Amino acid sequence: MQTHFLNPSERVRAWREHRRQLSELPFEQAIDFTLDFWNKTPVMERWLDWDFPDTWPTPWEILAGNEICSIAVTILMHDSLKFSNQSDYSEMSLQLFHDRDKHEMYFALVVKDLYVLKYGHMKKIDYDSIKHIDIQHKYIYSDQKGFIDEIR
């Protein structure tokens, strides 16, 4: 669904419906469904800072503002799975990777240390295939504290 064409309340309703559908799917299909849903979202230049999770807006604030960057999409993928009860918080992390070979940094959702979900990739990436890439930050969600960096 092209949620960016909807008004804020319609975007929130579309996301709620997406999460409802996710909750009914087997885990593997839920991952693919999440990727498909969010990879259709056009993104703007990065405006969220991956170093300061305490400044990240809630998913509802992201959807209401419709100013979605690749970091916001990654957060929305995380929250889609979290709020659909597809994956326990402890099984997911938001990670900042530094690929020294390509001289790139990228922010991605890692699920169950099996899959890496990154905006722009239309498929799951096997986690083992990127273990050679440095992890700069690894954020785990806590109900009491929000996202906590396990590396710092």
Side-chain angles (χ1 to χ4, degrees):
M1 172 176 280
Q2 300 281 331
T3 58
H4 59 285
F5 290 125
L6 303 174
N7 70 44
S9 61
E10 290 171 329
R11 282 193 295 274
V12 170
R13 278 195 297 275
W15 186 51
R16 182 176 49 225
E17 177 59 18
H18 168 70
R19 294 189 328 264
R20 187 197 62 73
Q21 291 172 345
L22 273 179
S23 68
E24 298 171 356
L25 295 173
F27 174 72
E28 294 285 330
Q29 289 178 7
I31 296 292
D32 292 332
F33 190 65
T34 299
L35 277 169
D36 184 54
F37 185 85
W38 290 113
N39 274 319
K40 293 176 183 170
T41 303
V43 296
M44 59 188 298
E45 189 173 328
R46 182 171 66 92
W47 66 275
L48 287 175
D49 192 338
W50 51 42
D51 287 326
F52 299 103
D54 54 325
T55 66
W56 296 345
T58 67
W60 297 276
E61 292 168 331
I62 294 170
L63 291 169
N66 205 27
E67 295 178 337
I68 300 177
C69 65
S70 61
I71 293 172
V73 170
T74 305
I75 293 167
L76 288 165
M77 286 192 290
H78 173 277
D79 289 346
S80 294
L81 293 169
K82 178 177 77 172
F83 292 127
S84 68
N85 297 318
Q86 271 295 342
S87 191
D88 188 87
Y89 301 173
S90 64
E91 298 176 316
M92 296 189 296
S93 62
L94 296 174
Q95 297 185 24
L96 176 64
F97 295 97
H98 181 201
D99 187 334
R100 293 185 192 282
D101 295 337
K102 294 181 180 177
H103 305 288
E104 291 179 348
M105 303 281 285
Y106 60 92
F107 194 67
L109 169 62
V110 176
V111 182
K112 296 186 179 187
D113 284 342
L114 294 173
Y115 302 113
V116 179
L117 285 66
K118 179 182 175 295
Y119 177 79
H121 287 276
M122 293 307 289
K123 60 181 181 172
K124 299 172 287 222
I125 303 169
D126 180 35
Y127 186 67
D128 287 334
S129 71
I130 64 158
K131 284 194 173 179
H132 67 284
I133 296 174
D134 295 335
I135 300 171
Q136 302 293 307
H137 296 285
K138 181 177 182 179
Y139 300 107
I140 304 293
Y141 185 79
S142 159
D143 279 331
Q144 293 78 27
K145 298 180 182 176
F147 285 101
I148 302 164
D149 191 348
E150 279 195 336
I151 293 180
R152 286 192 175 171

